[in-house]
Amino acid sequence: GMEAQLMEDYGNDTMDGNMSEEITTSFGQVDETTTTGEGGKGNATTPTPTVEKTVITIVGTMTLSVADPDAFVADNKSAPAVTAALSKQLDVATEALAVELNVADARRLASRRLQDSSKAVEVTYTITLSGSDASVMEALSATIKAVIDGSSFASDFQSSLNTELSNAGSQYTIKGVRSHGYDGSSTDGDGSTDGDGSTDGDGS
């Protein structure tokens, strides 16, 4: 059809036979490319075997008592120090930790321990564990939850955080830590004298 006609025209004109061959070759390449393209498309639709990954997320909250909660939250040394302290306490890589600091109204938290200040710092920390071995991930998750559930977690975290803060050159000292456990934690509110875990965040 067209291709043959085109080559004839070129051949009959000033171009010699070699040129026609080159043109033919380039047509051939175009055809090949089209074929490989289709093949490539076929491959793309075939799902590549994925390695099964287990991802476990643990979300925990704590309340920190500090002289100036607003300034503490605004200070860029605070979140990294909290992350570093959590990383040490829970034996989790800092890459697996996401920390969010917010100023919380202590009255909303109904906490009698923080009466020296009407505000506190609420820490929400997310631990993301991922790996190919589900049983290893489950065991790791259980270990972390056991640490958070431990009676000394809040006080251990407090001293660890104060060390991190002073190392970072922060002017703040944490005067108290209350752990509210983690999502799905049955111990939420246990081990804290005022038992406010259950009323957390409901506005009462």
Side-chain angles (χ1 to χ4, degrees), residues 27-135:
F27 276 130
Q29 283 172 342
V30 171
D31 289 345
E32 278 169 39
T33 321
T34 322
T35 327
T36 7
E38 279 161 24
K41 263 182 260 163
N43 295 347
T45 46
T46 320
T48 44
T50 48
V51 180
E52 281 301 309
K53 260 203 164 182
T54 302
V55 178
I56 297 173
T57 309
I58 303 167
V59 181
T61 50
M62 292 187 275
T63 314
L64 312 181
S65 177
V66 65
D68 189 343
D70 294 274
F72 179 81
V73 169
D75 190 313
N76 61 6
K77 297 187 185 82
S78 302
V82 171
T83 306
L86 274 171
S87 171
K88 286 197 173 73
Q89 289 301 303
L90 302 175
D91 197 19
V92 172
T94 50
E95 294 77 32
L97 281 165
V99 166
E100 192 185 318
L101 305 182
N102 288 297
V103 178
D105 190 320
R107 284 179 301 247
R108 180 180 73 75
L109 296 172
S111 170
R112 292 187 283 280
R113 280 216 211 139
L114 299 173
Q115 273 175 351
D116 59 323
S117 147
S118 64
K119 285 178 176 174
V121 174
E122 199 168 46
V123 177
T124 305
Y125 55 97
T126 306
I127 306 157
T128 306
L129 310 168
S130 68
S132 50
D133 191 330
S135 56

Side-chain angles (χ1 to χ4, degrees), residues 66-68 71-72 75 77-78 162 165-166 168-174:
V66 65
D68 189 343
F72 179 81
D75 190 313
K77 297 187 185 82
S78 302
N162 280 328
L165 286 168
S166 67
S170 170
Q171 71 209 61
Y172 301 102
T173 304
I174 304 302

Side-chain angles (χ1 to χ4, degrees), residues 58 89-92 125 127 129 138-150 153 182:
I58 303 167
Q89 289 301 303
L90 302 175
D91 197 19
V92 172
Y125 55 97
I127 306 157
L129 310 168
E138 290 293 345
L140 189 55
S141 168
T143 305
I144 291 168
K145 287 176 176 177
V147 174
I148 298 171
D149 288 339
F153 173 64
Y182 46 85

Side-chain angles (χ1 to χ4, degrees), residues 132-192:
S132 50
D133 191 330
S135 56
V136 171
M137 291 301 106
E138 290 293 345
L140 189 55
S141 168
T143 305
I144 291 168
K145 287 176 176 177
V147 174
I148 298 171
D149 288 339
S151 54
S152 64
F153 173 64
S155 54
D156 290 346
F157 175 77
Q158 182 178 346
S159 54
S160 183
L161 177 53
N162 280 328
T163 303
E164 294 296 337
L165 286 168
S166 67
N167 288 350
S170 170
Q171 71 209 61
Y172 301 102
T173 304
I174 304 302
K175 294 183 291 182
V177 173
R178 302 231 19 269
S179 173
H180 303 291
Y182 46 85
D183 267 6
S185 144
S186 53
T187 59
D188 200 16
D190 294 3
S192 61

